[in-house]
């Protein structure tokens, strides 16, 4: 339908004699034919012309007539109708205007492009099957608007203001020369559609846009954006890459610090796990000191001797079990050591820049390991000393 | 403008219910002997009257020829030359009588039927006016004051003027101007006598012509520049919208008073004569839009701007209207106002 309207408009406009533009209307004289009458009726339905015209015969003013009242006499060769055509009409489904600049000054039609266009200056009709470069670029302009709108809405700035440290307001108007630039926002759209880092991506895009356009007046911003879209895309991608790298290092740093804490805790846990068992040693010694009795009369056949031997035996068995347990902890520490060394070596190799920090974290674990090993050795030594002390007490009880 | 033929017949009754008296002349009144006052009076009759505009037709059908048109066809040739003006007017006067008698209109008084054929703007016109005498005072030869009756040429109560040139061309639907009065009975019988009907698509034509009339007058008669002309059209637009909202009929004279308060009569006259506008204007909403203005008034604000400025200089968003440019005069007035306020504060 839009094509028919624009075709009709083009046909009538071309047929107007002594055409002039006045008060926003093309006015001229038309020799009516049945075909032109049909076209005028179509245009009148679209309010592009009134459908009622003054007419002259042989150059002399005669009367006026409505399209619906025409008779055969109105189609005579010497009759001319004074036809007015609206010079500009920009609707959602078609646009009639003088040139690109007039269309691009209409913000609504930049935000939402119209597919059927007729330019009266050049009598050019543009339709979706047209390959005109400017037309193709015009149809893509709304993508840039959608991009800005998405960012603006994410900062709660309506559809035209991006808030990032300062308000950056857009007026979505363009010039014809802007349409020489092709618009390719695929990279940015893909980036925006990522689920990962979504908020961060929006934020860095706002930052890049503000930084890119802050020095332009609001009326020129969108135009500048269209003209320098490639630079912006490149800036955003670089910025994102940088962000991703920073993000990875943060993540690694966080990871090896977590590992350090985890292994330090585990290694200390090795000693803490047997701490309660170690309490049995002083308990045993206390038991021994209370149970071993000095025997002044009698020999090895007495009941007291049997009791003393059993106490010593109990302490020795206890000490042996404890020492075995303590020695077993060395194996646990050894396994942990292998585990964390492997993890930290791998991290150090992958992130060479962080190798020294990773090494420091590993050293912290090694230090904790050394402390725990020292405590285990001290515990073994103390156990052996207390066993020796018990045996010495037993001997003293019999004056051996 | 010149009167080519004129003849006066009389078909009237003095009191309601009485029979009609008829007196028909057998020859034309002499145009040479007519006083300038009478000539001017007749020519002015239709210029000053509130007229409707239309064409011949019966019951809304313009293909059917009413009796009046048949008589015109009988006596007028393609060059608008009348073969027998006296016979034509006699037949029309008889027809007038038969309409009153046939419809038993006992209260219709009739009057002097003045038929005259004249030329204006190269077009031939035939006019018929039903005139009555009005009472006046005269001074006799002996200087006695006496009552006298004179033909009232000041006011047209009933009449029709047919643009014969346009009618013959068969290219127009607006060649009859007629005044039928407000009383339904009178209106009906006179419209039946003439066989005229209002232009069915008058609204489109008249709305468009009103705009042209305002533009022409503002530009050519008042010498206004384009911006002021545009303002005048916008004023008309606002006024018409207001009247439509109130459900009132749009009157040409009222539009004139509103748009050109100082020269209303002159504009009204020009709109009638040159642009064929009737007093009661039919308005077409679509054409009214072509007045090019979006406007609104209320809450102390009156705003009006060209339609093509919407979405460019003027932006509408969710009830808020933003102007990115304002007229210099408005800017100056605002700055002046603010300057005064600041001066008072200091």
């Amino acid at each position: 339908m839009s094509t028919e309207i624009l075709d009709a408009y083009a046909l009538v406009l071309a047929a107007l004699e002594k055409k002039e533009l006045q008060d926003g209307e093309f006015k001229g004289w038309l020799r009516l034919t049945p075909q032109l009458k049909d076209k005028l009726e179509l245009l009148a339905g679209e309010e592009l012309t009134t459908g009622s015209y003054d007419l002259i015969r042989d150059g002399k003013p005669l009367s006026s007539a409505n399209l619906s009242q025409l008779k055969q006499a109105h189609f005579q060769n010497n009759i001319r109708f004074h036809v007015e055509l609206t010079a500009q009409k920009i609707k959602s489904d078609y646009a009639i205007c003088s040139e690109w600049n007039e269309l691009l000054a209409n913000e609504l039609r930049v935000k939402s492009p119209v597919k059927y266009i007729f330019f009266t200056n050049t009598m050019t009709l543009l339709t979706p099957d047209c390959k005109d470069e400017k037309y193709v670029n015009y149809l893509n302009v709304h993508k840039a608007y959608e991009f800005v709108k998405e960012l603006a809405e994410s900062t709660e700035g309506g559809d035209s203001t991006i808030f990032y440290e300062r308000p950056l307001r857009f007026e979505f108007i363009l010039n014809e020369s802007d349409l020489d630039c092709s618009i390719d926002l695929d990279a940015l759209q893909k980036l925006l559609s990522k689920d990962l880092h979504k908020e961060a991506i929006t934020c860095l895009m706002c930052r890049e846009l503000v930084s890119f356009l802050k020095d332009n007046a609001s009326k020129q911003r969108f135009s500048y954006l269209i003209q320098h879209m490639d630079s912006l895309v490149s800036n955003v991608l670089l910025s994102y890459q940088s962000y991703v790298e920073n993000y990875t290092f943060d993540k690694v740093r966080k990871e090896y610090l977590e590992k350090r804490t985890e292994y330090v805790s585990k290694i200390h846990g090795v000693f803490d796990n047997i701490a309660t068992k170690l309490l049995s040693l002083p308990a045993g010694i206390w038991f021994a000191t209370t149970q071993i009795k000095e025997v002044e009369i009698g020999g090895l056949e007495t009941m007291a001797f049997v009791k003393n031997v059993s106490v010593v035996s109990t302490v020795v068995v206890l000490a042996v079990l404890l020492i075995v347990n303590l020695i077993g902890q060395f194996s646990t520490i050894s396994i942990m050591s292998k585990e964390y060394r492997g993890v930290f070596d791998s991290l150090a190799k992958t992130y060479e820049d962080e190798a020294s920090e990773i090494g420091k974290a590993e050293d912290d674990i090694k230090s904790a390991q050394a402390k725990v090993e020292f405590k285990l050795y001290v515990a073994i030594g103390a156990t052996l000393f207390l066993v020796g002390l018990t045996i010495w007490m037993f001997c003293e009880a019999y004056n051996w | 403008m010149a009167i080519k033929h004129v003849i006066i017949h009389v078909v009237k009754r003095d009191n309601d219910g009485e029979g009609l008296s008829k007196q028909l002349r057998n020859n034309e009144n002499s145009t040479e002997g007519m006083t300038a006052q009478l000539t001017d009076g007749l020519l002015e009759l239709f210029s000053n009257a509130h007229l409707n505009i239309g064409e011949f037709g019966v019951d809304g059908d313009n293909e059917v020829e009413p009796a009046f048109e048949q008589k015109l066809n009988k006596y007028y040739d393609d060059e608008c030359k009348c073969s027998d003006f006296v016979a034509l007017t006699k037949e029309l006067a008889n027809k007038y009588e038969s309409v009153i008698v046939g419809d038993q209109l006992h209260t219709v008084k009739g009057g002097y039927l003045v038929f005259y054929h004249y030329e204006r703007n190269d077009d031939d016109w035939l006019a018929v006016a039903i005139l009555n005498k009005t009472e006046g005072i005269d001074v006799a030869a002996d200087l006695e004051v006496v009552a006298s009756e004179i033909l009232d040429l000041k006011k047209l109560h009933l009449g029709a003027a047919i643009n014969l040139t346009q009618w013959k061309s068969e290219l127009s639907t607006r060649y009859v101007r007629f005044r039928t009065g407000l009383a339904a009975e009178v209106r009906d019988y006179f419209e039946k006598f003439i066989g005229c009907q209002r232009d069915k698509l008058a609204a489109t034509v008249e709305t468009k012509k009103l705009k042209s009339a305002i533009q022409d007058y503002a530009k050519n008669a008042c010498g206004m520049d384009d911006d002021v002309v545009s303002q005048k059209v916008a004023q008309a637009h606002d006024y018409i919208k207001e009247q439509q909202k109130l459900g009132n009929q749009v009157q040409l004279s009222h539009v004139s008073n509103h748009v050109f308060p100082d020269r209303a009569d002159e504009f009204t006259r020009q709109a009638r004569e040159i642009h064929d506008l009737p007093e009661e204007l039919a308005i077409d909403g679509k054409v009214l839009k072509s007045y090019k203005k979006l406007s609104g008034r209320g809450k102390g604000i009156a705003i009006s701007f060209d339609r093509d400025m919407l979405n460019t200089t003027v932006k509408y968003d969710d009830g808020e209207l933003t102007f990115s440019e304002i007229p210099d005069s408005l800017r100056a007035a605002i700055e002046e106002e603010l300057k005064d306020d600041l001066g008072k504060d200091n």
Side-chain angles (χ1 to χ4, degrees):
Chain A
M1 186 63 182
S2 299
T3 319
E4 285 173 32
I5 293 164
L6 295 185
D7 277 338
Y9 188 93
L11 195 68
V12 173
L13 186 63
L16 283 186
E17 298 166 10
K18 297 178 186 170
K19 178 173 57 191
E20 58 180 8
L21 182 60
Q22 202 179 36
D23 300 329
E25 289 180 326
F26 286 109
K27 297 180 180 178
W29 297 98
L30 185 71
R31 199 227 139 177
L32 211 56
T33 62
Q35 186 205 12
L36 284 171
K37 176 188 171 260
D38 292 344
K39 302 291 180 195
L40 282 173
E41 278 176 340
L42 181 64
L43 297 178
E46 287 295 311
E47 296 179 24
L48 288 162
T49 185
T50 56
S52 166
Y53 311 105
D54 288 338
L55 53 103
I56 55 172
R57 184 168 62 187
D58 297 323
K60 187 189 159 198
L62 192 66
S63 178
S64 55
N66 283 308
L67 284 173
S68 56
Q69 295 172 313
L70 296 187
K71 301 171 184 168
Q72 198 52 42
H74 289 102
F75 298 108
Q76 288 167 11
N77 198 27
N78 58 346
I79 306 281
R80 294 289 183 276
F81 287 76
H82 193 242
V83 171
E84 304 99 5
L85 286 177
T86 301
Q88 190 219 60
K89 186 141 197 172
I90 299 176
K91 293 177 67 178
S92 59
D93 47 354
Y94 67 84
I96 294 167
C97 52
S98 62
E99 50 165 5
W100 275 115
N101 285 336
E102 197 170 29
L103 180 64
L104 296 172
N106 189 313
E107 199 166 353
L108 201 59
R109 295 282 74 90
V110 172
K111 291 176 179 177
S112 171
V114 54
K115 289 182 180 168
Y116 296 87
I117 305 166
F118 180 72
F119 291 127
T120 53
N121 280 2
T122 53
M123 301 290 278
T124 312
L125 178 62
L126 298 170
T127 55
D129 54 357
C130 178
K131 303 291 179 199
D132 182 85
E133 191 185 351
K134 283 181 180 169
Y135 175 70
V136 172
N137 288 337
Y138 164 70
L139 292 182
N140 285 326
V141 158
H142 76 102
K143 291 181 185 170
Y145 160 68
E146 298 289 345
F147 170 66
V148 172
K149 182 186 168 197
E150 192 171 342
L151 295 180
E153 283 176 347
S154 72
T155 63
E156 296 184 350
D159 73 337
S160 59
T161 306
I162 293 175
F163 286 100
Y164 186 87
E165 293 177 351
R166 63 169 80 183
L168 187 79
R169 198 169 71 82
F170 285 83
E171 284 187 37
F172 298 100
I173 50 175
L174 294 173
N175 295 311
E176 184 177 354
S177 58
D178 298 330
L179 297 182
D180 292 330
C181 312
S182 62
I183 294 158
D184 184 5
L185 283 168
D186 287 352
L188 295 185
Q189 294 298 350
K190 273 183 192 167
L191 210 54
L192 269 178
S193 61
K194 275 191 174 182
D195 289 334
L196 191 65
H197 308 146
K198 197 163 183 65
E199 281 185 19
I201 289 170
T202 306
C203 192
L204 72 89
M205 279 182 178
C206 290
R207 187 184 68 195
E208 286 303 324
L209 261 183
V210 170
S211 154
F212 197 64
L213 300 170
K214 65 184 178 191
D215 296 330
N216 295 93
S218 62
K219 278 188 176 178
Q220 270 81 49
R221 270 181 197 137
F222 196 59
S223 170
Y224 186 84
L225 176 66
I226 296 293
Q227 285 179 10
H228 301 86
M229 187 62 82
D230 290 345
S231 304
L232 176 78
V233 172
S234 154
N235 284 0
V236 169
L237 291 179
L238 277 174
S239 182
Y240 179 63
Q241 192 181 343
S242 166
Y243 165 78
V244 169
E245 283 167 3
N246 286 336
Y247 174 79
T248 308
F249 280 124
D250 282 347
K251 198 176 170 189
V252 168
R253 195 172 291 123
K254 195 177 169 189
E255 191 176 327
Y256 69 67
L257 290 176
E258 276 177 2
K259 290 285 177 199
R260 182 191 65 180
T261 309
E262 182 188 337
Y263 279 108
V264 167
S265 170
K266 272 186 183 174
I267 285 168
H268 282 294
V270 167
F271 185 80
D272 295 341
N273 284 343
I274 56 162
T276 19
K277 292 175 187 168
L278 284 173
L279 286 175
S280 64
L281 191 62
I285 299 306
W286 172 79
F287 174 74
T289 51
T290 54
Q291 293 301 316
I292 292 173
K293 301 215 177 348
E294 188 180 350
V295 182
E296 296 173 353
I297 301 165
L300 299 173
E301 70 283 358
T302 61
M303 190 60 191
F305 176 76
V306 174
K307 278 187 178 177
N308 284 347
V309 168
S310 67
V311 168
V312 170
S313 302
T314 303
V315 169
V316 169
V317 169
L318 183 69
V320 168
L321 288 174
L322 198 58
I323 287 166
V324 168
N325 209 329
L326 287 169
I327 290 168
Q329 297 307 310
F330 283 104
S331 308
T332 309
I333 289 173
S334 171
I335 289 165
M336 278 188 197
S337 172
K338 278 182 188 169
E339 193 179 298
Y340 77 72
R341 278 169 202 274
V343 169
F344 278 79
D345 286 350
S346 166
L347 283 172
K349 275 183 189 171
T350 312
Y351 305 103
E352 288 177 0
D353 294 345
E354 288 286 294
S356 64
E357 292 298 319
I358 293 170
K360 280 181 192 170
E362 192 179 1
D363 289 344
D364 289 343
I365 304 171
K366 281 179 184 170
S367 165
Q369 184 185 346
K371 283 176 191 168
V372 170
E373 282 175 346
F374 174 73
K375 283 194 275 186
L376 288 173
Y377 282 124
V378 168
I380 290 169
T383 306
L384 289 172
F385 169 74
L386 288 174
V387 169
L389 185 66
T390 308
I391 291 169
W392 177 78
M393 280 174 68
F394 177 78
C395 292
E396 283 295 306
Y398 291 95
N399 295 318
W400 287 349
Chain B
M1 293 206 293
I3 293 179
K4 293 179 176 175
H5 308 280
V6 62
I7 190 166
I8 300 175
H9 303 297
V10 59
V11 177
K12 69 179 182 91
R13 64 164 64 97
D14 292 329
N15 298 304
D16 291 352
E18 286 182 357
L20 284 168
S21 65
K22 182 171 71 174
Q23 186 183 348
L24 306 180
R25 276 182 68 92
N26 291 321
N27 44 44
E28 293 181 26
N29 291 84
S30 166
T31 52
E32 290 173 6
M34 285 171 68
T35 62
Q37 191 186 358
L38 178 59
T39 313
D40 292 346
L42 290 177
L43 292 175
E44 290 292 313
L45 260 180
F46 286 89
S47 298
N48 296 327
H50 295 178
L51 301 172
N52 292 310
I53 294 178
E55 61 184 332
F56 288 126
V58 176
D59 296 332
D61 186 355
N62 62 359
E63 297 294 321
V64 180
E65 281 189 3
F68 197 101
E69 189 179 16
Q70 288 173 26
K71 308 284 181 202
L72 294 184
N73 270 323
K74 182 177 166 187
Y75 288 99
Y76 277 103
D77 64 13
D78 288 343
E79 301 299 317
C80 299
K81 298 273 188 288
C82 188
S83 56
D84 188 342
F85 189 70
V86 175
L88 166 69
T89 57
K90 275 185 168 180
E91 287 187 26
L92 291 175
N94 286 328
K95 174 67 188 168
Y96 178 76
E97 182 194 18
S98 70
V99 168
I100 297 175
V101 173
D103 290 357
Q104 297 184 333
L105 303 169
H106 303 298
T107 58
V108 171
K109 289 201 168 61
Y112 293 91
L113 275 68
V114 185
F115 292 92
Y116 52 107
H117 177 154
Y118 64 100
E119 190 180 290
R120 199 186 78 184
N121 297 335
D122 293 336
D123 284 351
D124 283 293
W125 292 76
L126 173 70
V128 52
I130 315 291
L131 300 177
N132 286 294
K133 283 187 175 175
T134 184
E135 288 181 358
I137 295 170
D138 199 1
V139 179
D142 57 357
L143 301 182
E144 280 292 324
V145 176
V146 291
S148 72
E149 284 189 324
I150 56 168
L151 203 58
D152 186 3
L153 288 170
K154 297 283 179 199
K155 238 178 186 177
L156 179 70
H157 296 286
L158 286 173
I162 297 105
N163 185 327
L164 298 168
T165 311
Q166 286 190 10
W167 167 65
K168 274 289 175 191
S169 74
E170 296 185 357
L171 294 170
S172 175
T173 54
R174 295 172 63 78
Y175 49 81
V176 183
R177 295 178 181 195
F178 55 100
R179 177 168 173 80
T180 55
L182 294 174
E185 190 183 44
V186 177
R187 185 178 64 223
D188 290 348
Y189 99 82
F190 192 74
E191 284 188 11
K192 188 175 176 186
F193 165 56
I194 302 292
C196 57
Q197 58 188 16
R198 285 201 66 168
D199 180 7
K200 281 180 287 184
L201 296 170
T204 322
V205 177
E206 288 170 11
T207 313
K208 196 178 145 189
K209 280 181 178 289
L210 177 65
K211 183 186 171 191
S212 304
I214 294 170
Q215 287 174 328
D216 282 355
Y217 188 75
K219 253 183 211 173
N220 303 326
C222 304
M224 294 169 173
D225 63 31
D226 287 348
D227 278 349
V228 185
V229 172
S230 185
Q231 277 176 28
K232 291 288 175 193
V233 175
Q235 276 178 21
H237 177 269
D238 290 351
Y239 174 76
I240 292 167
K241 283 293 225 187
E242 211 171 288
Q243 294 305 306
Q244 285 180 328
K245 204 173 167 185
L246 296 169
N248 294 341
Q249 168 70 45
V250 180
Q251 307 276 350
L252 176 62
S253 50
H254 294 180
V255 175
S256 308
N257 283 327
H258 190 80
V259 181
F260 300 103
D262 300 334
R263 309 172 77 167
D265 289 343
E266 195 183 332
F267 169 73
T268 308
R269 189 186 175 89
Q270 186 168 316
R272 282 179 188 150
E273 287 182 1
I274 300 176
H275 297 278
D276 274 346
L277 283 168
E279 174 59 18
E280 289 188 351
L281 294 167
I283 299 296
D284 180 86
K286 284 183 181 177
V287 183
L288 190 64
K289 277 188 185 176
S290 76
Y291 282 42
K292 285 291 172 193
K293 295 282 176 186
L294 283 174
S295 63
R297 185 192 295 268
K299 299 176 186 171
I301 298 171
I303 297 174
S304 170
F305 56 88
D306 288 352
R307 285 175 179 277
D308 55 14
M309 293 196 135
L310 189 63
N311 292 321
T312 55
T313 308
V314 185
K315 282 168 196 157
Y316 178 79
D317 181 23
D318 199 19
E320 285 186 4
L321 205 59
T322 311
F323 291 80
S324 58
E325 285 173 29
I326 58 172
D328 291 341
S329 54
L330 178 62
R331 187 195 307 276
I334 291 171
E335 286 173 358
E336 186 68 23
E337 184 71 16
L338 291 175
K339 203 167 116 186
D340 287 350
D341 284 352
L342 283 173
K344 281 175 194 167
D345 288 347
N346 293 332

